[in-house]
Amino acid sequence: MSTNTLSPVSGRLFVGGEWLSAREDFASKSPANLAEVVGTFPKATPKEVDAAVASARSAFPAWRRTSRILRAECFDRLAQLIKRDTDALAVLMARECGKNITECRAEVVEGLHMVQYVFGTGRQGIYGEVIASEIAEKDAFVRRKPWGVVAVITPWNFPFAVPLWMLGPSLLEGNTCVFKPSEDTPAIGQKLVELFAEAGFPAGTVNLVQGAGETGEALVKNPDVNVVCFTGSYEVGKRIQEISASMPERIVAAEMGGKNAVIVCEDARFDLAVNAGILSAFKTTGQRCVSASRIIVHEALMDRYAKAFAETAKRLKFGDPLDAKNFAGPLIHENAAKKVLDYNALAKKEGAKVLVEGSEIQPVAGAKGCFLSPFVYQMDGKGARVLREEVFGPHVALVPFKTDEDAVRIYNDTEYGLSLAVITESYRRMRFFREECEYGMGYVNLPCIGAEVHLPFGGVKKSGNGHPSAAGLIEAVTHKTAWTVNHGTDIKMAQGLTTALEGGPA
Ligand code: NAD
């Protein structure tokens, strides 16, 4: 299929269960073919953002009073709709964000899994606990309650699954939401909200506002938002936390960037190690938060590894996202491509030995897109900026190490701490890295990419503030309450506290 076959999406905001009339404030263009307009969208004004928050607020009491199981059942209907539309969603996503159709399909399936997980969780016990009291006649309950209104602000690179990681647990627990997708993927954001509406979620439980940072900031500044669930860059996450610092009662769950790595030990299975490195570096054109821009390789293996890695990188096909035979697609926009080229230049300045030169390419006949070929280089791990900062593109350093302690030092020498892979046959080494490296997600004999919704997804340092997404998000979107019930006929207090109303014998 060519990238140019579908008519543009006419974008609208969704507030209080109503689709507002369409406006054409900004266009979403396909990064594989900048001439292709995927859709035109309204930029929500601050007044519209406030209206969306107000509508979420007014829908909250009835939604939180709805049985948790009935709330979960709305997700069963949503799952059926996602199954019905999987192919169309994947095509729209491929056109809008440039990821290869095979990856887009996998992402829709990941979103579906989140929805299925939420549906199943409705009948499970993580809602609360019953625990003993010091007084035999008392039962003590720990019950989770929703906070209220949750703002969901998401990045372009997982425009379907990441919103569901946040909307799913938030809504299941009885919160209502205002969703702001990335300005680079408004069409897939709108499509997702259309499915929520079709699945019968009550008016006001899910609201949609569109726009860039300004719209996101208007949402964050609204004091009636109880929780902000944010996934995106560190810089924006920091800004959101700075604004929210004036509202100490607010929860901010921020999942941010990464500077991830694969550590290849000298006992590694060689082919597995090369494949793990290639997939980690170049899947999604290096634009995953967990993409590796460092492969830390034992010096005894380095020459052989560098040769095989460079040869494989040169063979990868970057091209039309709708052609499943391609390995990956373009960068998200021209600025993103320019940023990667700037980092390629910086690497050379910082002493890189270039193994594969990265440059602009135009693989789609008759179309101008934001494509780059992979850039691969070798460099010692001595604190160069390119070894410490997130690049977010097909740019990877092979860094040699001598001892396992060296590898840990190189891995940790960045302000991020998101994902790590270790390629080894030794359980002792695997454990050493597991204990000494700073990360949120670790993988052994695997690439450092990939997620499953029943696991927490998050990082440490500049990668995350301790509220992982997907299954982990329940902690951020609920607060725990203690509820103690006395089954006795008189009052007995813990700690031997006296209940006498008048003075008695000492
Ligand atoms: P981004 O930070 O530029 O934008 C993310 C979202 O924040 C967008 O919706 C954007 O409009 C909004 N935004 C921008 N300025 C804002 C402001 N001042 N106030 C409120 N909202 C604002 O990120 P991106 O380019 O869309 O995505 C790439 C980044 O996301 C990378 O750094 C990547 O590592 C990170 N990411 C992290 C994870 C994770 O789980 N840790 C997952 C995916 C992506």
Side-chain angles (χ1 to χ4, degrees), residues 65-297:
R65 288 188 197 116
T66 303
S67 145
R68 189 169 190 263
I69 289 173
L70 294 183
R71 289 197 302 257
E73 281 180 2
C74 295
F75 284 90
D76 185 33
R77 294 197 290 277
L78 182 60
Q80 308 314 317
L81 300 177
I82 294 174
K83 283 183 193 171
R84 181 194 70 191
D85 289 357
T86 297
D87 290 339
L89 286 162
V91 168
L92 181 64
M93 192 190 303
R95 291 170 66 226
E96 186 166 52
C97 77
K99 298 202 299 189
N100 186 266
I101 187 72
T102 55
E103 287 200 50
C104 292
R105 200 161 215 295
E107 183 180 341
V108 175
V109 171
E110 186 178 343
L112 171 66
H113 289 168
M114 189 70 218
V115 169
Q116 290 171 325
Y117 174 84
V118 166
F119 168 54
T121 310
R123 288 182 187 265
Q124 276 188 343
I126 58 171
Y127 181 49
E129 299 162 68
V130 187
I131 44 181
S133 161
E134 195 181 309
I135 309 298
E137 295 86 347
K138 282 186 191 171
D139 285 338
F141 299 84
V142 179
R143 295 180 71 255
R144 290 181 184 275
K145 295 193 88 179
W147 284 106
V149 175
V150 177
V152 170
I153 301 177
T154 53
W156 70 266
N157 65 339
F158 281 85
F160 190 76
V162 165
L164 282 169
W165 286 358
M166 298 171 171
L167 291 166
S170 300
L171 289 161
L172 173 67
E173 300 306 332
N175 300 282
T176 52
C177 297
V178 180
F179 169 36
K180 195 207 81 66
S182 163
E183 63 275 26
D184 295 318
T185 50
I188 194 80
Q190 173 163 319
K191 184 68 200 166
L192 177 57
V193 174
E194 285 172 10
L195 295 181
F196 269 102
E198 192 180 344
F201 281 78
T205 52
V206 181
N207 301 273
L208 172 71
V209 294
Q210 297 276 16
E214 243 178 292
T215 309
E217 196 148 328
L219 187 53
V220 172
K221 283 184 173 157
N222 187 311
D224 211 23
V225 168
N226 301 93
V227 181
V228 179
C229 291
F230 167 77
T231 296
S233 60
Y234 170 74
E235 291 69 27
V236 174
K238 179 167 181 263
R239 172 82 188 131
I240 288 174
Q241 296 193 64
E242 281 166 358
I243 295 169
S244 299
S246 65
M247 297 170 244
E249 66 285 9
R250 171 180 283 175
I251 303 295
V252 178
E255 283 308 325
M256 300 171 283
K259 184 70 184 177
N260 316 293
V262 179
I263 298 177
V264 178
C265 299
E266 76 266 39
D267 65 347
R269 280 178 177 266
F270 189 77
D271 292 347
L272 186 153
V274 174
N275 284 353
I278 291 281
L279 293 172
S280 303
F282 301 125
K283 204 79 184 155
T284 327
T285 320
Q287 298 171 105
R288 288 183 176 228
C289 55
V290 286
S291 292
S293 52
R294 302 173 300 163
I295 315 287
I296 304 169
V297 184

Side-chain angles (χ1 to χ4, degrees), residues 1-17:
M1 191 190 292
S2 102
T3 49
N4 230 341
T5 50
L6 298 165
S7 52
V9 175
S10 177
R12 290 178 298 166
L13 309 178
F14 190 60
V15 177

Side-chain angles (χ1 to χ4, degrees), residues 239-467:
R239 172 82 188 131
I240 288 174
Q241 296 193 64
E242 281 166 358
I243 295 169
S244 299
S246 65
M247 297 170 244
E249 66 285 9
R250 171 180 283 175
I251 303 295
V252 178
E255 283 308 325
M256 300 171 283
K259 184 70 184 177
N260 316 293
V262 179
I263 298 177
V264 178
C265 299
E266 76 266 39
D267 65 347
R269 280 178 177 266
F270 189 77
D271 292 347
L272 186 153
V274 174
N275 284 353
I278 291 281
L279 293 172
S280 303
F282 301 125
K283 204 79 184 155
T284 327
T285 320
Q287 298 171 105
R288 288 183 176 228
C289 55
V290 286
S291 292
S293 52
R294 302 173 300 163
I295 315 287
I296 304 169
V297 184
H298 193 274
E299 59 179 13
L301 269 192
M302 182 54 102
D303 289 349
R304 188 174 160 223
Y305 189 87
K307 187 163 179 287
F309 189 93
E311 277 168 7
T312 313
K314 281 187 209 158
R315 280 206 311 273
L316 299 176
K317 280 176 72 183
F318 292 79
D320 186 349
L322 290 169
D323 182 347
K325 290 195 292 300
N326 287 324
F327 176 78
L331 279 289
I332 183 63
H333 43 53
E334 284 172 305
N335 283 348
K338 182 180 176 307
K339 180 181 158 198
V340 175
L341 290 171
D342 287 348
Y343 269 110
N344 294 356
L346 178 65
K348 289 180 197 167
K349 222 164 126 192
E350 292 190 312
K353 174 181 156 198
V354 177
L355 304 177
V356 182
E357 183 59 87
S359 55
E360 281 184 72
I361 49 172
Q362 292 304 341
V364 182
K368 180 170 167 16
C370 309
F371 290 91
L372 293 182
S373 62
F375 180 68
V376 183
Y377 58 102
Q378 209 171 311
M379 186 184 259
D380 284 341
K382 299 255 163 57
R385 270 183 57 204
V386 282
L387 298 182
R388 310 178 78 232
E389 297 175 12
E390 183 177 52
V391 178
F392 220 57
H395 166 120
V396 65
L398 307 184
V399 186
F401 74 91
K402 264 193 213 320
T403 64
D404 290 356
E405 287 74 12
D406 261 352
V408 168
R409 183 189 54 74
I410 295 166
Y411 174 83
N412 285 340
D413 186 19
T414 167
E415 291 177 303
Y416 293 98
L418 194 58
S419 88
L420 158 75
V422 182
I423 316 295
T424 180
E425 296 292 298
S426 156
Y427 68 88
R428 286 201 179 85
R429 298 181 102 169
M430 181 269 281
R431 186 176 191 282
F432 174 74
F433 291 118
R434 188 186 76 194
E435 297 303 304
E436 300 306 318
C437 292
E438 296 158 345
Y439 60 90
M441 286 152 306
Y443 303 82
V444 178
N445 292 329
L446 284 166
C448 64
I449 62 169
E452 293 192 65
V453 301
H454 48 276
L455 298 171
F457 191 97
V460 295
K461 297 157 82 178
K462 280 189 172 178
S463 296
N465 69 347
H467 294 293

